[in-house]
Amino acid sequence: MIIRPRVQRLILNRIIKSSLVLFVLWTTLEVLSIRRALTFEASKPPPPFGNQKIFIASLHWTDERVLREYWVPAVRQLAQDIGRGNVFVSVLESGSLDDTKGALRDLDDQLTELGIDHRVVLDETTHLDEVTQARDANNKGWVQMPATKSYRQNWTDWFELQKDSWVPRRIPYLARLRNQVMEPLHQQQTKGITYDKILWLNDVVFTTADVQTLLATREGDYAAACALDFKQAPHFYDSFATRDAQGHAPLTDTWPFFRSARSRNALLRGQPIPVASCWNGMVVFDAQPFYHTRSSSSGLAFRGIPDTLARKHVEASECCLVHADNPLSAAKGVWVNPNVRVGYNGTAYEAVHHAGTWPSAYAIATGVWRNRLVRWLRLAGARVDRVVGEKLREWERGGPADAEPGAFCLIDEMQVLLWNGWGHA
Ligand SMILES: *[C@@H]1O[C@H](CO)[C@@H](O)[C@H](O)[C@H]1NC(C)=O
């Protein structure tokens, strides 16, 4: 049978039209069902704190503005809401370039007045001290610049770090400070006071209800549970520490973020999202692994990857490695609670808490298709995975003792401390 060209065109037209109708229908139904699930989950009221004992930990550098406007009042309120006998606030700041110390001194005074247990350390050591201090004999936590590079000094001037000059790595430095923040946990233990949960807070905008919802993730049954964080909404911020259920970095920085189907499907239902690692501005840990016990004399602590690995121009966040090292991660899981969203300023917080369900119907429709396209066309991740994988295998061949349990945390970067912040080398 010969179909005339006119009829052929007609059939083609029909096919295109019905595909379009199907596409629109499919997307509409998908958006509606996702919206219904998200609205239902978001409508649950935050459960009360009960009698849990909570150790609040945070680390600060040059964040005076958000502290004064949001963070200090929010932490004071949170500590009061948890209840005097059930909370400890441990804060460390060092070398800020603004009056962060002043803002934290105010918090210190307020907590003292309220009779809330706390330790606020305002360290005079600056980044300049850190980068000019003498290295120890084996250069632990230091690397050599792989090439000469310029960094911004201020709006007009630059400074240079020469190839092969020694510089401190950013991550071991941060890990050391975080472990310092944890010291009062152990000091309290010697007084017979132990905590159920450890809540790490970045300098974010949050409410007591956000913390209550986060703590109640999976009825409190988790190794760790994290919020989602936003600096410039709708763009998700903390991709350095976030790894999905399969250990992949986020596929996109917009909703629905994840490459792993397990992680994505949970997000689409507004349920706690199984991940390998997260931090995201606010994270709560089961406190037990951090304690020194007879079976684990040192307890869980923050660390960086070995210098010998970092030398190959890879890095990993201390906030990711801690999940890789946590013996509870495998047993109880690490979860992102998508109903808890924090922002690095008021604008970002408002953007993910506006009236109605977050995200919008439009963001859901475009998001699910963008995610599909990026996955189907393999537009993300493959190159970094390959480059990092090659460097890791090369390093593992270096010695039988060389193993990194946090391999999924690795990225293709070298991060160094600068006198006025940090930079890539
Ligand atoms: C919040 O931060 C974003 C990103 O840095 C910025 O564009 C915005 O202007 C900030 N909002 C306020 C109120 O400072």
Side-chain angles (χ1 to χ4, degrees), residues 65 231-232 345-348:
R65 186 164 164 202
K231 187 166 255 177
Q232 195 122 38
N345 66 22
T347 318

Side-chain angles (χ1 to χ4, degrees), residues 36-289:
R36 202 179 51 212
L38 296 187
T39 309
F40 176 73
E41 289 302 324
S43 69
K44 294 181 178 170
F49 286 116
N51 209 25
Q52 301 182 79
K53 290 176 86 75
I54 298 160
F55 183 91
I56 300 175
S58 81
L59 181 62
H60 297 271
W61 184 76
T62 314
D63 54 358
E64 179 189 2
R65 186 164 164 202
V66 70
L67 290 189
R68 290 199 188 276
E69 274 183 53
Y70 297 100
W71 196 85
V72 167
V75 168
R76 185 192 56 219
Q77 185 63 49
L78 172 64
Q80 284 178 279
D81 293 340
I82 296 170
R84 191 157 40 174
N86 287 340
V87 63
F88 191 103
V89 180
S90 178
V91 172
L92 175 79
E93 176 277 350
S94 75
S96 291
L97 305 174
D98 59 5
D99 193 26
T100 298
K101 282 187 171 58
L104 292 173
R105 238 176 252 123
D106 289 350
L107 176 69
D108 196 345
D109 294 343
Q110 292 170 26
L111 294 177
T112 303
E113 210 167 286
L114 293 166
I116 289 164
D117 288 338
H118 66 285
R119 184 181 86 163
V120 174
V121 177
L122 306 175
D123 189 339
E124 293 299 335
T125 314
T126 61
H127 276 36
L128 182 61
D129 297 332
E130 297 284 349
V131 300
T132 51
Q133 75 185 345
R135 312 185 300 272
D136 69 11
N138 48 21
N139 297 325
K140 205 167 177 325
W142 290 61
V143 282
Q144 282 177 288
M145 290 293 291
T148 299
K149 195 171 172 190
S150 298
Y151 298 94
R152 195 178 274 286
Q153 176 132 351
N154 51 42
W155 288 111
T156 50
D157 299 319
W158 297 71
F159 64 98
E160 217 168 56
L161 291 179
Q162 298 299 321
K163 181 174 190 301
D164 293 335
S165 61
W166 285 92
V167 280
R169 289 172 53 206
R170 173 179 178 239
I171 300 300
Y173 164 76
L174 289 175
R176 172 159 55 86
L177 296 188
R178 288 197 193 281
N179 290 329
Q180 221 178 315
V181 176
M182 297 294 281
E183 285 166 358
L185 183 83
H186 307 298
Q187 290 156 0
Q188 290 288 94
Q189 192 186 14
T190 63
K191 294 192 234 161
I193 304 169
T194 57
Y195 296 85
D196 303 305
K197 296 277 157 70
I198 293 163
L199 175 69
W200 270 95
L201 295 173
N202 284 13
D203 42 2
V204 291
V205 181
F206 70 94
T207 64
T208 289
D210 290 328
V211 175
Q212 286 173 322
T213 306
L214 186 64
L215 277 161
T217 304
R218 291 173 47 84
E219 277 84 53
D221 182 27
Y222 46 76
C226 313
L228 286 170
D229 64 345
F230 299 88
K231 187 166 255 177
Q232 195 122 38
H235 302 285
F236 168 67
Y237 181 66
D238 192 4
S239 55
F240 187 21
T242 301
R243 296 292 177 272
D244 69 19
Q246 291 177 307
H248 297 303
L251 203 57
T252 57
D253 67 357
T254 50
W255 194 96
F257 319 113
F258 300 105
R259 179 160 148 195
S260 142
R262 261 186 80 212
S263 301
R264 216 173 43 246
N265 290 339
L267 172 70
L268 266 42
R269 292 193 309 269
Q271 298 284 335
I273 302 159
V275 291
S277 165
C278 59
W279 191 270
N280 304 351
M282 186 156 100
V283 50
V284 57
F285 288 89
D286 186 317
Q288 184 263 321

